[in-house]
Each structure stands twice: as structure tokens, then as C-alpha cells.
């Protein structure tokens, strides 16, 4: 049976060869060495727990890989809006190259992706944060919980608004369910981009209702 599966995998590799998620060239991994070097030069691999310009912060720390600029900005926009969902593998593969980040993520008990509305899910075809959460989960063996934090309103895209508008726009958008599963847990909340922090802070405020031990934020890039 394993032999048959191997043949099937080889056939798929011929029909749909693995390509680098950044440049699109055929490569054995999801990122080629040339693009890997480019990203390494831009990578920050930061863990921040103080000094953030955000009022009434509801989380303990934020982990991010890049600044939201240049090639990274273009790549994340492609991932989020231009139907390049496969890029989640490239991001996570690069993320886990950093041992400090890898070990820090392993301290968490559960992973929660920032949810999107049913309408947005239908339009986009996927939740970009959930794809990243699932892939990280496979690598660090931490469960993903997508049933505790839900989005109950479809709102204007935060990226279209300024800081003040974002803070208002995001209020009363999320709801907590099954909070007993989060009691005294260390929660890692996952999103794609951190700009003003209004989205992850609002999500964290709702998650605080479950009395978790800690809430950390992981994003691909910070503005």
C-alpha cells in the first residue's frame, strides 16, 4: 500500500511540481535558497512584551517574523487577497528555522486563529490565519481551537481605515464560546498582520473572559 501511495505522490510531483512560494520557480521545498537568503536578510524574528503603542493591551506578548514592507508586504497581500493560499507553507517553514521562536511557541497550550466572517470566507475561499495555525500545529503538536472565538459581524476591511476608525470598527465583532476549554490555558492567537493592534487586542479582550493564564500573539509581519 505504501508503495502505491509513493507512486501516486511521484505522479503528482510530475503533474504539479513543488515550486518556491516567493519566486514561483520549481524547487523541492516551498522556498528556494535564493528567496530564503532574501527573506533572511529582512527577517526580524522578534518577541515583544512591552513598549507597544496600544491602549488597554489585553495580551502578554507579540511574536512576529518580518516588518510589513517591501517584498514581504507584497507577498502577504498576494497570500491574503490574490488566491495564493499555498503560501502558508512557505511562511511556516521559514518561521520554524528560528529556534528561539520555535521554542517560545511550544510553551502554549492551544492555538486560536483570528476568525473571519462566513461572508468573507465564502468570498476568499479560506481563512489565511487558520491555514497558518493548522500548519504550525502540525509542527509543534499543539491543538488548534477554531470553535471558541467566532466572528458574528461582517465589517469593513480594517486595512481601509485609520487607527481611530479601526478601534471603532472592530468593537462587538467577536464572541466567545466554550470558554471552559480555555480556562487557565496559555493561548496563542494567530493573525497575518499587526498594524495598529486593534484586531488582536479586541480578540484578546474577548478571550480574557475565559480567564486564560496567558495570551500571546503571533503574526507574520508587524507594521
Amino acid at each position: 500500500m505504501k508503495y502505491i501511495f509513493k507512486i501516486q505522490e511521484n505522479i503528482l510531483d510530475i503533474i504539479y511540481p513543488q515550486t518556491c512560494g516567493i519566486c514561483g520557480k520549481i524547487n523541492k521545498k516551498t522556498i528556494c535558497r535564493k528567496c530564503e537568503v532574501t527573506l533572511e536578510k529582512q527577517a526580524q524574528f522578534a518577541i515583544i512584551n512591552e513598549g507597544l503603542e496600544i491602549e488597554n493591551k489585553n495580551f502578554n506578548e507579540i511574536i512576529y517574523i518580518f516588518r510589513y514592507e517591501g517584498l514581504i508586504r507584497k507577498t502577504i497581500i498576494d497570500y491574503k487577497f490574490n488566491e495564493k493560499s499555498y503560501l502558508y507553507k512557505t511562511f511556516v517553514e521559514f518561521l520554524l528555522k528560528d529556534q528561539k521562536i520555535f521554542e517560545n511557541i511550544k510553551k502554549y497550550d492551544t492555538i486560536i486563529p483570528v476568525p473571519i466572517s462566513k461572508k468573507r470566507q465564502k468570498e476568499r475561499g479560506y481563512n489565511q490565519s487558520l491555514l497558518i495555525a493548522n500548519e504550525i500545529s502540525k509542527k509543534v503538536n499543539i491543538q488548534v481551537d477554531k470553535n471558541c472565538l467566532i466572528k458574528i459581524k461582517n465589517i469593513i476591511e480594517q486595512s481601509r481605515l485609520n487607527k481611530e476608525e479601526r478601534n471603532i470598527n472592530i468593537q462587538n465583532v467577536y464572541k466567545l464560546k466554550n470558554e471552559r476549554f480555555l480556562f487557565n490555558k496559555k493561548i496563542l492567537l494567530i493573525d497575518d498582520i499587526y498594524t495598529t493592534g486593534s484586531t488582536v487586542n479586541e480578540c484578546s479582550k474577548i478571550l480574557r473572559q475565559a480567564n486564560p493564564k496567558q495570551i500571546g500573539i503571533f503574526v507574520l509581519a508587524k507594521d
Side-chain angles (χ1 to χ4, degrees):
M1 185 64 72
K2 290 183 179 179
Y3 178 71
I4 293 174
F5 285 147
K6 187 64 177 178
I7 292 175
Q8 290 175 336
E9 287 178 1
N10 290 337
I11 292 172
L12 287 173
D13 286 341
I14 294 172
I15 299 174
Y16 304 107
Q18 176 68 61
T19 60
C20 171
I22 306 298
C23 68
K25 293 181 180 179
I26 294 175
N27 193 68
K28 290 182 179 180
K29 296 183 178 181
T30 59
I31 181 170
C32 71
R33 183 53 189 160
K34 183 178 179 180
C35 290
E36 190 173 40
V37 170
T38 299
L39 294 189
E40 284 172 354
K41 291 178 180 177
Q42 298 183 30
Q44 302 257 323
F45 291 118
I47 302 172
I48 299 175
N49 50 33
E50 58 184 22
L52 293 168
E53 295 181 1
I54 183 169
E55 294 182 8
N56 302 314
K57 184 165 68 71
N58 294 299
F59 53 89
N60 301 95
E61 66 179 14
I62 177 169
I63 307 164
Y64 67 93
I65 314 176
F66 305 103
R67 299 297 299 184
Y68 188 53
E69 58 191 17
L71 175 63
I72 294 306
R73 184 177 186 277
K74 178 184 180 301
T75 304
I76 293 177
I77 288 173
D78 281 343
Y79 171 58
K80 190 171 181 178
F81 299 112
N82 296 329
E83 300 180 355
K84 293 189 176 182
S85 60
Y86 56 83
L87 282 169
Y88 74 91
K89 288 190 175 181
T90 303
F91 293 134
V92 175
E93 184 171 317
F94 188 80
L95 155 70
L96 297 180
K97 285 167 57 65
D98 188 271
Q99 192 63 28
K100 182 180 178 181
I101 297 292
F102 180 75
E103 292 299 325
N104 193 63
I105 286 175
K106 285 169 63 178
K107 75 183 180 186
Y108 288 94
D109 301 309
T110 189
I111 298 172
I112 296 181
V114 169
I116 61 177
S117 67
K118 291 180 179 179
K119 180 181 179 182
R120 197 80 70 204
Q121 174 88 31
K122 187 176 180 180
E123 291 172 350
R124 190 172 298 164
Y126 55 92
N127 176 349
Q128 71 279 0
S129 298
L130 176 58
L131 292 179
I132 295 169
N134 284 337
E135 188 69 7
I136 291 177
S137 172
K138 292 176 186 177
K139 303 296 184 181
V140 298
N141 195 30
I142 300 173
Q143 69 175 5
V144 174
D145 192 325
K146 57 180 182 179
N147 297 313
C148 285
L149 184 66
I150 60 173
K151 193 170 187 178
I152 56 176
K153 291 182 181 179
N154 185 48
I155 57 174
I156 300 170
E157 284 279 2
Q158 290 283 83
S159 58
R160 300 180 184 179
L161 307 174
N162 61 36
K163 183 176 181 179
E164 291 72 22
E165 291 170 335
R166 290 183 185 205
N167 289 335
I168 296 171
N169 190 50
I170 204 67
Q171 291 178 10
N172 303 314
V173 168
Y174 301 101
K175 180 180 178 181
L176 186 65
K177 293 181 65 178
N178 305 313
E179 58 263 38
R180 64 187 183 280
F181 296 125
L182 302 179
F183 175 72
N184 207 35
K185 295 287 184 67
K186 293 181 179 179
I187 300 170
L188 183 64
L189 181 68
I190 292 186
D191 204 3
D192 51 0
I193 308 163
Y194 181 107
T195 48
T196 65
S198 55
T199 296
V200 293
N201 200 47
E202 180 68 16
C203 287
S204 298
K205 184 178 77 173
I206 302 302
L207 290 172
R208 284 287 176 199
Q209 298 173 13
N211 294 313
K213 182 180 290 185
Q214 182 178 348
I215 298 176
I217 308 297
F218 170 79
V219 293
L220 298 176
K222 182 179 179 298
D223 205 350

